Amino acid sequence: MITIGFVIYALEVWGLYWLYRHTARVRHYQVATVKSRVNIAQLGTVIIAMLTMVVLIIVDLKLSAMLNIPETSNSRSLAWMLGEARFP
């Protein structure tokens, strides 16, 4: 889910940037060009960070289940709103 959310967010940013460039071209605005490139080290850092977040979430869920930490009413409400209704 995190990866899907990140991809959707990246597509939104790209779409808004494209819309900005298109509108600026139509209205004859000066648009600064992006000259920096993403290198492999930066991309690797982002991927490692995302994988670390996923692993930490899984560890948190497993520890909560193992230690019988009760689910808060707020988490139940959020899960229900997201369509994952859990019954005690």
Side-chain angles (χ1 to χ4, degrees):
M1 291 300 290
I2 293 172
T3 306
I4 293 170
F6 178 76
V7 169
I8 291 171
Y9 177 72
L11 288 173
E12 288 174 352
V13 169
W14 178 80
L16 289 172
Y17 181 70
W18 178 86
L19 183 64
Y20 164 72
R21 300 254 323 175
H22 175 71
T23 304
R25 189 172 44 247
V26 168
R27 294 185 181 176
H28 306 293
Y29 294 149
Q30 282 287 13
V31 177
T33 58
V34 178
K35 295 181 182 181
S36 65
R37 298 279 182 208
V38 176
N39 62 27
I40 298 299
Q42 292 170 330
L43 186 60
T45 303
V46 170
I47 290 172
I48 289 171
M50 288 180 63
L51 291 175
T52 302
M53 288 185 344
V54 169
V55 168
L56 289 175
I57 289 170
I58 291 170
V59 167
D60 178 50
L61 291 172
K62 295 293 180 184
L63 282 175
S64 295
M66 285 174 45
L67 299 174
N68 293 326
I69 297 173
E71 188 176 35
T72 63
S73 63
N74 187 36
S75 351
R76 273 193 301 271
S77 298
L78 289 173
W80 181 79
M81 284 189 270
L82 293 173
E84 301 174 11
R86 297 180 186 149
F87 300 100

